[in-house]
Structure formats: structure tokens, C-alpha cells
């Protein structure tokens, strides 16, 4: 697999729910030699952060969900978290801190996301750092998504997402979002064509006012933009923190090696020019670096990797 370093908008998630994972130093070398300049990690793993020193790789550092309550209820805990996980690494290019991953509004932890972001922001300010703090959402927060212009958040998500958007707007931080056309496709293969999900439709599939949609990724993302506009978040930047396609695990419905290769190749090329509502490069993180054989209840969860744990590439991809 060859990655061209010119595509600075592309990163890759580094998940670790896998047997026989290579040492962190080898993983950083794998990123560097393939020209991957952005990484997302799901927790402040000290070995990974040590290996990132001097690498020039930009990294999103995750706060694990179980830490949210402590960070939200105690500024001192937020300061300790910073002193332990961020301050010791001045030569690591930490771009964002992601407070929680795909927290649902109904989750008891949801009440802690906003306060945890605020306490970490205060700790960052006190440390004279310039790191933005946000959280990662998934598209289940949308109540309406079709056509994209009517995109809106569900009533059940309203108070949660409104508070988050308000905080992010006040700090000029981006919203982090996981966007998976694969899951949208397999939930409704009768009405969604595979070509639409894989960026291979020959023409416009959905016409929405003066905007035409030739792929599902754009339609999902623009429905999110529309939802944000409706709650005062029109100026928020969105970063796609996960997007991927599994190579196995759904009995051949759509999870095939050929489909993955097609999806990643087209996604890498496509995000150099963001969806119809907001043209321009879109910072996007592929999910994920390795197949994770210890992950999840669904078999597909184990087959999202660009590489095997032996560091062998599964697909021939370039950024040209």
C-alpha cells in the first residue's frame, strides 16, 4: 500500500483491540513510511504517545468513556489528566482531544460530556496550550436525514447536542463525527444502491433543491450540516473521525475485499473536495489501521483494517 503525503486531509484510526499487535514504535514507522500524517487514538496510551515523539504525525487523543464522570465533576481531575497525558509530550503534535466516543443522549454518561469538555478546556488554557477539545458523535443522533436539506436532530438528542454545539461554538472547536455509508446501505439495501454507497454511481442519484448527490457519504454529511444549521451550528467545522467498510462478516452482502478497496480508494480521492454544501478539503480518518480480532459482537467489526496485524497491506491504495 502506497500513501502519498500530499493528502494531508487523510488520517487513520489506530485501534488496539487485537491480538499480536505490533509494538507502538513499529506502528508509527508504518504510518510514516506510508505517508499517513494524521492518527486518531482512542485513549492516551503512553507507549503510543512516546512512540509519536518527533514523528510529525498529528494525533487526536481520545478520552475513554469511563473517565467522563471524573473529568466533568472535578477540575482537579481534569488538570491531573492533562498533566499525565498531554503535558509530558510537547514534541507530539496533538491536534484535538476527543471527549468520549459515540455517547448516546440516553446514556447516563451523556450528562458529563459537556462539563468534561469545559474542564479540559480550562486546564488547557491554564497550561497555555492551543489544543481544541470536542466529542465524537454518530449519525443516530439525527431524526431526519433525507433529503439532506431537511436533516435535523431527533427530539431525544436535542438538549444533548444543543449543549455540545454551544460549547464548541464558544471555543471555535470542530464537531467530530463518524460517517459510515456501509451501515446505512445494509440497513436498507432495497432503496439504497451499492453504487451510491461506494461512490461509483454514474450520475446524480438524489436531487435536493439545487444540490445533486452522487454518493451516500455526501448525503449523510450534508444532512448533518443541515441539522447543525437548524440549531445555530452553521459555522461549525465537521471532522470525520471514522469512515470505513468491512471486508468480511456479513455473509457476502456487501463486506468484500473488492468493495473495501473501491470504497477507500474513492473516499480518499473524494474528501479532497468536501460535499456540496461546503466545498473544500474534508479532514477524514479511515477506520482503521488494523483488523481487530477481539472487537465487538458483530463479525464485521473485526474486518475494517487497512493492514493485518503482521503489517501486511490488504489493499493497494494511493493518494494520487
Amino acid at each position: 500500500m502506497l500513501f502519498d503525503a500530499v493528502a494531508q486531509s487523510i488520517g487513520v484510526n489506530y485501534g488496539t483491540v487485537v491480538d499480536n499487535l505490533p509494538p507502538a514504535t513499529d506502528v508509527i514507522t508504518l504510518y510514516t513510511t506510508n505517508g499517513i500524517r494524521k492518527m486518531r487514538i482512542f485513549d492516551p496510551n503512553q507507549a503510543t504517545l512516546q512512540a509519536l515523539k518527533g514523528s510529525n504525525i498529528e494525533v487526536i487523543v481520545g478520552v475513554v468513556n469511563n473517565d467522563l464522570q471524573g473529568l466533568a465533576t472535578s477540575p482537579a481531575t481534569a488538570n491531573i489528566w492533562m498533566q499525565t497525558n498531554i503535558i509530558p509530550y510537547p514534541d507530539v503534535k496533538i491536534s484535538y482531544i476527543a471527549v468520549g466516543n459515540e455517547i448516546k443522549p440516553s446514556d447516563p454518561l451523556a450528562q458529563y460530556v459537556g462539563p468534561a469538555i469545559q474542564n479540559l478546556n480550562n486546564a488547557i488554557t491554564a497550561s497555555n496550550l492551543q489544543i481544541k477539545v470536542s466529542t465524537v458523535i454518530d449519525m443516530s443522533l439525527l431524526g431526519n436525514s433525507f433529503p439532506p436539506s431537511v436533516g435535523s436532530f431527533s427530539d431525544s438528542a436535542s438538549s444533548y447536542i444543543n449543549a455540545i454545539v454551544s460549547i464548541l461554538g464558544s471555543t471555535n472547536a470542530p464537531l467530530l463525527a463518524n460517517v459510515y455509508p456501509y451501515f446505512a446501505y445494509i440497513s436498507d439495501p432495497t432503496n439504497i444502491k451499492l453504487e451510491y454507497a461506494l461512490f461509483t454511481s454514474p450520475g446524480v442519484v438524489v436531487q435536493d433543491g439545487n444540490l445533486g448527490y452522487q454518493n451516500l457519504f455526501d448525503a449523510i454529511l450534508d444532512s448533518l450540516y443541515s441539522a447543525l444549521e437548524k440549531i445555530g451550528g452553521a459555522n461549525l467545522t465537521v471532522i470525520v473521525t471514522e469512515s470505513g467498510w468491512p471486508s468480511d462478516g456479513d455473509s457476502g452482502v456487501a463486506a468484500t475485499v473488492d468493495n473495501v478497496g473501491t470504497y477507500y480508494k474513492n473516499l480518499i480521492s473524494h474528501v479532497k473536495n468536501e460535499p456540496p454544501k461546503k466545498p473544500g478539503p474534508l479532514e477524514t480518518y479511515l477506520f482503521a489501521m488494523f483488523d481487530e480480532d477481539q472487537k465487538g459482537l458483530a463479525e464485521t467489526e473485526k474486518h475494517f483494517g487497512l493492514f493485518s496485524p503482521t503489517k501486511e497491506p490488504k489493499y493497494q491504495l494511493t493518494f494520487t
Side-chain angles (χ1 to χ4, degrees), residues 1-291:
M1 183 188 296
L2 299 174
F3 288 91
D4 187 327
V6 300
Q8 295 299 306
S9 61
I10 290 290
V12 179
N13 284 265
Y14 173 23
T16 58
V17 191
V18 55
D19 283 337
N20 302 316
L21 194 69
T25 51
D26 288 2
V27 175
I28 303 310
T29 299
L30 193 61
Y31 271 73
T32 302
T33 56
N34 285 283
I36 307 171
R37 303 301 183 208
K38 295 178 186 288
M39 172 189 290
R40 177 187 172 211
I41 57 177
F42 293 85
D43 63 273
N45 180 277
Q46 302 299 300
T48 301
L49 290 168
Q50 287 285 350
L52 280 164
K53 286 184 173 182
S55 68
N56 216 33
I57 294 172
E58 296 179 27
V59 60
I60 299 175
V61 177
V63 174
V64 296
N65 292 351
N66 287 342
D67 285 348
L68 294 181
Q69 183 174 357
L71 292 170
T73 56
S74 169
T77 299
N79 285 323
I80 292 169
W81 192 95
M82 287 291 299
Q83 292 294 332
T84 302
N85 301 310
I86 304 299
I87 302 299
Y89 303 101
D91 46 358
V92 175
K93 297 180 70 173
I94 299 171
S95 52
Y96 307 106
I97 296 171
V99 177
N101 185 49
E102 297 186 344
I103 299 291
K104 304 295 190 288
S106 59
D107 191 312
L109 291 174
Q111 63 184 305
Y112 302 121
V113 175
I117 291 174
Q118 291 175 316
N119 281 342
L120 283 172
N121 273 325
N122 292 337
I124 287 169
T125 299
S127 301
N128 293 314
L129 298 175
Q130 302 295 321
I131 302 169
K132 299 295 186 182
V133 186
S134 186
T135 190
V136 178
I137 67 166
D138 65 17
M139 296 304 102
S140 69
L141 272 62
L142 294 175
N144 296 309
S145 60
F146 185 84
S149 61
V150 306
S152 62
F153 293 106
S154 66
D155 291 343
S156 61
S158 179
S159 61
Y160 172 73
I161 193 63
N162 272 276
I164 297 299
V165 166
S166 177
I167 294 169
L168 299 183
S170 69
T171 58
N172 198 31
L175 178 65
L176 311 178
N178 295 343
V179 179
Y180 282 95
Y182 169 77
F183 292 117
Y185 168 72
I186 61 169
S187 71
D188 190 12
T190 301
N191 294 307
I192 299 174
K193 301 301 182 187
L194 183 60
E195 293 80 7
Y196 188 51
L198 292 175
F199 300 92
T200 56
S201 295
V204 170
V205 175
V206 173
Q207 188 67 43
D208 185 13
N210 64 339
L211 298 178
Y213 292 88
Q214 203 167 334
N215 65 82
L216 184 54
F217 181 90
D218 282 357
I220 295 171
L221 196 54
D222 274 5
S223 67
L224 175 59
Y225 283 132
S226 294
L228 289 169
E229 290 169 0
K230 292 176 175 65
I231 62 169
N235 294 325
L236 280 189
T237 297
V238 172
I239 291 174
V240 176
T241 33
E242 292 180 27
S243 193
W245 197 286
S247 60
D248 200 359
D250 69 359
S251 301
V253 174
T256 68
V257 170
D258 284 347
N259 284 345
V260 180
T262 298
Y263 182 77
Y264 279 133
K265 176 184 175 182
N266 290 333
L267 178 65
I268 289 166
S269 175
H270 184 75
V271 297
K272 295 175 185 177
N273 187 40
E274 204 172 330
K277 284 180 77 73
K278 293 194 175 184
L282 173 67
E283 187 172 341
T284 301
Y285 291 74
L286 309 184
F287 187 88
M289 196 66 171
F290 301 105
D291 282 336

